Amino acid sequence: GDSVTQMEGPVTLSEEAFLTINCTYTATGYPSLFWYVQYPGEGLQLLLKATKADDKGSNKGFEATYRKETTSFHLEKGSVQVSDSAVYFCALSPTRAGGTSYGKLTFGQGTILTVHP
Amino acid sequence: DAGITQSPRHKVTETGTPVTLRCHQTENHRYMYWYRQDPGHGLRLIHYSYGVKDTDKGEVSDGYSVSRSKTEDFLLTLESATSSQTSVYFCAIRGGMDTEAFFGQGTRLTVV
């Protein structure tokens, strides 16, 4: 079945450092890919998405490119801030109907990011 | 903010008792999901629904059942709660297969 694997954390960085959080996936067909963020005590919220190969999603300085050849969707930010401290989740959703995966949304295990001043 | 409400927000229950969590939406979205979040395991899908009375299992469905008799409500039932079901439960809604999912605030369930 479909699955998402994220780099193990936690990740600790100093302010203004470069961030990469790796995400790879296993899926049939051509899934849509997402990054969600969860701030302490809150539910998840969408950070960015990409719906087809070579698409780049971006938001709030974060970027991720849908790489079909490497089945990856790595999250990057050039200069992190203390306010970026949160848990980041990679997720996928199949975009073709069929079988039991119709509308299914699968998440990775999450990566805790802590940014120090 | 998307109109999604989970109830209750907190619950403590005893082992062996049935528990029902409710997710209510005002967005008329087709898809609804129940996840549990545990340290070291991320967000794991319990059950999801792709329409009224249309539901399917996720990766950790044992011990849980769901029902969706109308578009706006998705109920998660623990038939006989166990300590391993102590967790934070999140409901999510989504309008389409490549669209954003909106999450509720979560329900913290403790089984003693």
Coordinates of all heavy atoms in Angstrom, one line a residue, chain B residues 20-61:
Chain B
T20 N -17.5 7.1 22.2 CA -17.8 7.6 20.9 C -17.3 9.1 20.8 O -17.6 9.9 21.7 CB -19.3 7.6 20.6 OG1 -19.7 6.2 20.5 CG2 -19.6 8.2 19.2
L21 N -16.5 9.3 19.8 CA -16.0 10.6 19.5 C -16.8 11.2 18.2 O -17.0 10.4 17.3 CB -14.5 10.6 19.2 CG -13.6 10.0 20.3 CD1 -12.2 10.1 19.9 CD2 -13.9 10.5 21.6
R22 N -17.1 12.5 18.3 CA -17.8 13.0 17.2 C -17.0 14.1 16.4 O -16.3 14.9 17.0 CB -19.1 13.7 17.7 CG -20.0 14.3 16.7 CD -21.2 15.0 17.3 NE -22.1 15.5 16.3 CZ -22.6 16.7 16.3 NH1 -22.2 17.6 17.2 NH2 -23.5 17.1 15.3
C23 N -17.2 14.0 15.1 CA -16.6 15.1 14.3 C -17.7 15.7 13.4 O -18.5 15.0 12.8 CB -15.6 14.5 13.3 SG -14.8 15.7 12.2
H24 N -17.9 17.0 13.5 CA -18.9 17.7 12.8 C -18.3 18.8 11.9 O -17.5 19.5 12.3 CB -19.9 18.3 13.9 CG -21.0 19.1 13.3 ND1 -22.1 18.5 12.7 CD2 -21.1 20.5 13.1 CE1 -22.9 19.5 12.3 NE2 -22.3 20.7 12.5
Q25 N -18.8 18.8 10.7 CA -18.4 19.8 9.7 C -19.5 20.6 9.2 O -20.6 20.1 9.0 CB -17.6 19.1 8.6 CG -18.4 18.2 7.8 CD -18.0 18.1 6.3 OE1 -17.5 19.1 5.7 NE2 -18.2 17.0 5.7
T26 N -19.2 21.8 8.8 CA -20.2 22.7 8.2 C -19.8 23.1 6.8 O -20.4 24.0 6.2 CB -20.4 24.0 9.0 OG1 -19.1 24.7 9.2 CG2 -20.9 23.7 10.4
E27 N -18.8 22.4 6.2 CA -18.2 22.7 4.9 C -18.8 21.9 3.8 O -18.5 22.1 2.6 CB -16.7 22.5 4.9 CG -16.0 23.3 6.0 CD -16.1 24.8 5.8 OE1 -16.2 25.3 4.6 OE2 -16.2 25.5 6.8
N28 N -19.6 20.9 4.1 CA -20.2 20.0 3.1 C -19.1 19.3 2.3 O -19.3 19.0 1.1 CB -21.1 20.8 2.1 CG -22.1 19.9 1.3 OD1 -22.6 18.9 1.9 ND2 -22.3 20.2 0.1
H29 N -18.0 19.0 2.9 CA -16.9 18.3 2.3 C -17.2 16.8 2.2 O -17.8 16.2 3.1 CB -15.6 18.5 3.0 CG -14.9 19.8 2.7 ND1 -15.3 20.6 1.6 CD2 -14.0 20.5 3.4 CE1 -14.6 21.7 1.6 NE2 -13.8 21.7 2.7
R30 N -16.7 16.2 1.1 CA -17.0 14.8 0.8 C -16.2 13.8 1.7 O -16.7 12.9 2.2 CB -16.6 14.5 -0.6 CG -16.9 13.0 -1.0 CD -16.6 12.8 -2.4 NE -16.9 11.4 -2.8 CZ -16.9 10.9 -4.0 NH1 -16.5 11.7 -5.0 NH2 -17.2 9.6 -4.2
Y31 N -14.9 14.2 2.0 CA -14.1 13.2 2.7 C -13.9 13.6 4.1 O -13.7 14.8 4.5 CB -12.7 13.2 2.0 CG -12.7 12.8 0.6 CD1 -12.6 13.7 -0.4 CD2 -12.8 11.4 0.2 CE1 -12.6 13.4 -1.8 CE2 -12.8 11.1 -1.1 CZ -12.7 12.0 -2.1 OH -12.7 11.7 -3.4
M32 N -14.0 12.6 5.0 CA -13.7 12.8 6.4 C -12.8 11.7 6.9 O -12.9 10.5 6.4 CB -15.0 12.8 7.2 CG -16.0 14.0 6.8 SD -17.4 14.2 7.8 CE -16.7 14.9 9.3
Y33 N -12.0 12.0 7.9 CA -10.9 11.1 8.3 C -10.8 11.1 9.9 O -11.1 12.1 10.5 CB -9.6 11.5 7.8 CG -9.5 11.7 6.3 CD1 -9.9 12.9 5.7 CD2 -9.0 10.7 5.5 CE1 -9.9 13.1 4.3 CE2 -8.9 10.9 4.1 CZ -9.4 12.1 3.5 OH -9.3 12.3 2.2
W34 N -10.4 10.0 10.4 CA -10.0 9.9 11.8 C -8.6 9.4 11.9 O -8.3 8.3 11.3 CB -10.9 9.0 12.6 CG -12.2 9.6 13.1 CD1 -13.5 9.4 12.6 CD2 -12.3 10.5 14.1 NE1 -14.4 10.1 13.3 CE2 -13.7 10.9 14.3 CE3 -11.4 11.2 15.0 CZ2 -14.2 11.8 15.2 CZ3 -11.9 12.1 15.9 CH2 -13.3 12.4 16.0
Y35 N -7.8 10.1 12.6 CA -6.4 9.8 12.8 C -6.1 9.7 14.3 O -6.8 10.4 15.1 CB -5.4 10.8 12.3 CG -5.4 10.9 10.8 CD1 -6.3 11.8 10.1 CD2 -4.6 10.2 10.0 CE1 -6.3 11.9 8.7 CE2 -4.6 10.3 8.6 CZ -5.4 11.2 8.0 OH -5.4 11.3 6.6
R36 N -5.1 9.0 14.7 CA -4.6 9.0 16.1 C -3.1 9.5 16.0 O -2.4 9.1 15.1 CB -4.7 7.7 16.8 CG -4.1 6.5 16.2 CD -4.3 5.3 17.1 NE -3.5 5.4 18.4 CZ -3.6 4.5 19.4 NH1 -4.4 3.5 19.3 NH2 -2.8 4.7 20.5
Q37 N -2.7 10.3 17.0 CA -1.4 10.7 17.0 C -0.7 10.3 18.3 O -1.2 10.6 19.4 CB -1.3 12.3 16.9 CG 0.1 12.8 16.9 CD 0.2 14.3 16.6 OE1 -0.7 15.1 16.9 NE2 1.3 14.7 16.0
D38 N 0.4 9.6 18.2 CA 1.1 9.1 19.3 C 2.6 9.4 19.1 O 3.1 9.3 18.0 CB 1.0 7.6 19.4 CG -0.5 7.1 19.5 OD1 -1.1 7.4 20.5 OD2 -1.0 6.6 18.5
P39 N 3.3 9.7 20.2 CA 4.8 10.0 20.1 C 5.5 8.8 19.4 O 5.3 7.7 19.7 CB 5.2 10.1 21.6 CG 4.0 10.5 22.3 CD 2.8 9.8 21.6
G40 N 6.3 9.2 18.4 CA 7.1 8.2 17.7 C 6.4 7.5 16.6 O 7.0 6.8 15.8
H41 N 5.1 7.8 16.4 CA 4.3 7.1 15.4 C 3.7 8.1 14.4 O 3.1 7.7 13.4 CB 3.2 6.3 16.0 CG 3.7 5.1 16.7 ND1 4.1 3.9 16.1 CD2 3.9 4.9 18.0 CE1 4.5 3.0 17.0 NE2 4.4 3.6 18.2
G42 N 3.8 9.4 14.7 CA 3.2 10.4 13.8 C 1.7 10.3 13.8 O 1.1 10.1 14.8
L43 N 1.1 10.5 12.6 CA -0.3 10.5 12.4 C -0.7 9.2 11.7 O -0.3 9.0 10.5 CB -0.7 11.7 11.6 CG -2.0 12.4 11.9 CD1 -2.0 13.0 13.4 CD2 -2.2 13.6 11.0
R44 N -1.5 8.4 12.3 CA -1.9 7.1 11.7 C -3.4 7.1 11.4 O -4.2 7.5 12.3 CB -1.5 6.0 12.6 CG 0.0 5.8 12.7 CD 0.3 4.6 13.6 NE 0.0 4.8 15.0 CZ 0.1 3.8 15.9 NH1 0.6 2.6 15.6 NH2 -0.2 4.1 17.1
L45 N -3.7 6.7 10.2 CA -5.1 6.7 9.8 C -5.9 5.5 10.4 O -5.5 4.4 10.3 CB -5.2 6.6 8.3 CG -6.6 6.7 7.6 CD1 -7.3 8.0 7.9 CD2 -6.5 6.4 6.1
I46 N -7.0 5.8 11.0 CA -7.9 4.8 11.6 C -9.0 4.3 10.6 O -9.0 3.2 10.3 CB -8.5 5.3 12.9 CG1 -7.5 5.8 13.9 CG2 -9.4 4.2 13.6 CD1 -8.1 6.6 15.1
H47 N -9.8 5.3 10.2 CA -10.8 5.0 9.2 C -11.0 6.3 8.5 O -10.7 7.4 9.0 CB -12.2 4.7 9.9 CG -12.3 3.3 10.4 ND1 -12.6 2.2 9.6 CD2 -12.2 2.8 11.6 CE1 -12.6 1.1 10.3 NE2 -12.4 1.4 11.6
Y48 N -11.6 6.2 7.3 CA -12.0 7.4 6.5 C -13.3 7.2 5.8 O -13.7 6.0 5.7 CB -10.9 7.9 5.6 CG -10.6 7.0 4.4 CD1 -11.0 7.3 3.2 CD2 -9.8 5.8 4.6 CE1 -10.7 6.5 2.1 CE2 -9.5 5.0 3.5 CZ -10.0 5.3 2.3 OH -9.7 4.5 1.2
S49 N -13.9 8.3 5.3 CA -15.1 8.2 4.6 C -15.1 9.0 3.4 O -14.5 10.1 3.4 CB -16.3 8.7 5.5 OG -17.5 8.9 4.8
Y50 N -15.6 8.4 2.3 CA -15.6 9.1 1.0 C -17.1 9.4 0.6 O -17.3 9.7 -0.6 CB -14.9 8.4 -0.1 CG -15.2 6.9 -0.2 CD1 -16.1 6.4 -1.1 CD2 -14.5 6.0 0.6 CE1 -16.4 5.1 -1.2 CE2 -14.8 4.6 0.5 CZ -15.7 4.2 -0.4 OH -16.0 2.9 -0.5
G51 N -18.0 9.4 1.5 CA -19.3 9.8 1.2 C -20.2 9.2 2.3 O -19.8 8.4 3.2
V52 N -21.5 9.6 2.3 CA -22.4 9.1 3.3 C -22.5 7.6 3.2 O -22.7 7.1 2.1 CB -23.8 9.8 3.1 CG1 -24.9 9.2 4.1 CG2 -23.7 11.3 3.4
K53 N -22.3 7.0 4.3 CA -22.4 5.5 4.4 C -21.3 4.8 3.7 O -21.3 3.6 3.6 CB -23.7 5.0 4.0 CG -24.9 5.5 4.9 CD -26.2 4.8 4.5 CE -27.3 5.4 5.4 NZ -28.6 4.8 5.1
D54 N -20.3 5.5 3.2 CA -19.1 5.0 2.5 C -17.9 5.2 3.3 O -17.4 6.3 3.4 CB -18.9 5.6 1.1 CG -20.0 5.2 0.1 OD1 -20.5 4.0 0.2 OD2 -20.4 6.1 -0.7
T55 N -17.4 4.1 3.9 CA -16.2 4.2 4.8 C -15.2 3.1 4.4 O -15.6 2.1 3.8 CB -16.6 4.1 6.3 OG1 -17.1 2.8 6.5 CG2 -17.6 5.2 6.6
D56 N -14.0 3.3 4.9 CA -13.0 2.3 4.6 C -12.0 2.3 5.8 O -11.8 3.3 6.5 CB -12.3 2.5 3.3 CG -11.8 1.2 2.7 OD1 -11.7 0.2 3.5 OD2 -11.4 1.2 1.5
K57 N -11.2 1.2 5.9 CA -10.3 1.1 7.0 C -9.0 1.8 6.7 O -8.5 1.8 5.5 CB -10.0 -0.4 7.3 CG -11.3 -1.1 7.8 CD -10.9 -2.6 8.1 CE -12.1 -3.3 8.6 NZ -11.8 -4.8 8.8
G58 N -8.3 2.3 7.7 CA -7.0 2.8 7.6 C -6.0 1.7 8.1 O -6.3 0.5 8.3
E59 N -4.8 2.2 8.5 CA -3.8 1.2 8.9 C -3.9 0.7 10.3 O -3.3 -0.3 10.7 CB -2.4 1.9 8.7 CG -2.3 3.2 9.5 CD -1.0 3.9 9.2 OE1 0.1 3.3 9.4 OE2 -1.1 5.1 8.8
V60 N -4.7 1.4 11.2 CA -4.8 1.0 12.6 C -6.3 0.9 13.0 O -6.7 1.5 14.0 CB -4.0 1.9 13.5 CG1 -2.6 1.7 13.4 CG2 -4.4 3.4 13.3
S61 N -7.1 0.2 12.2 CA -8.5 0.2 12.4 C -9.0 -0.8 13.5 O -10.2 -0.7 13.9 CB -9.2 -0.1 11.1 OG -8.8 -1.4 10.6

